[in-house]
Amino acid sequence: MAEVKPMFREVLPKQGQLSVEDITTMVLCKPKLLPLKSLTLEKLEKMQQAAQETIRQQEMAEKNSSK
């Protein structure tokens, strides 16, 4: 298999100062919050489900009484 030559070659300075900045630091970002249901929304959903269930029961009662 042919050897692949790198496009760039490493160059080190012959004189002067060589410095390396490889310091890991923490980066703060905005928190990603998931939307949570509020208690009010849960209560409204329960009320809506109860209302739909009573409507279904009334419709079933009307169907049974009309037969």
Side-chain angles (χ1 to χ4, degrees):
M1 185 179 255
E3 189 175 320
V4 179
K5 293 184 179 179
M7 291 179 56
F8 302 103
R9 61 184 180 88
E10 186 177 313
V11 178
L12 295 174
K14 300 285 185 207
Q15 62 187 146
Q17 190 174 15
L18 178 65
S19 66
V20 177
E21 295 180 19
D22 196 20
I23 301 169
T24 57
T25 59
M26 293 184 65
V27 177
L28 299 176
C29 62
K30 291 183 179 179
K32 294 173 176 66
L33 299 176
L34 298 174
L36 300 176
K37 287 187 177 182
S38 66
L39 292 175
T40 307
L41 181 60
E42 288 181 8
K43 287 179 185 177
L44 287 172
E45 286 177 345
K46 286 180 184 177
M47 288 172 57
Q48 185 178 11
Q49 287 176 353
Q52 286 177 347
E53 186 61 33
T54 52
I55 290 171
R56 283 191 199 118
Q57 289 175 356
Q58 288 174 355
E59 288 175 350
M60 293 295 282
E62 286 177 10
K63 285 181 184 179
N64 291 339
S65 64
S66 66
K67 285 185 179 180

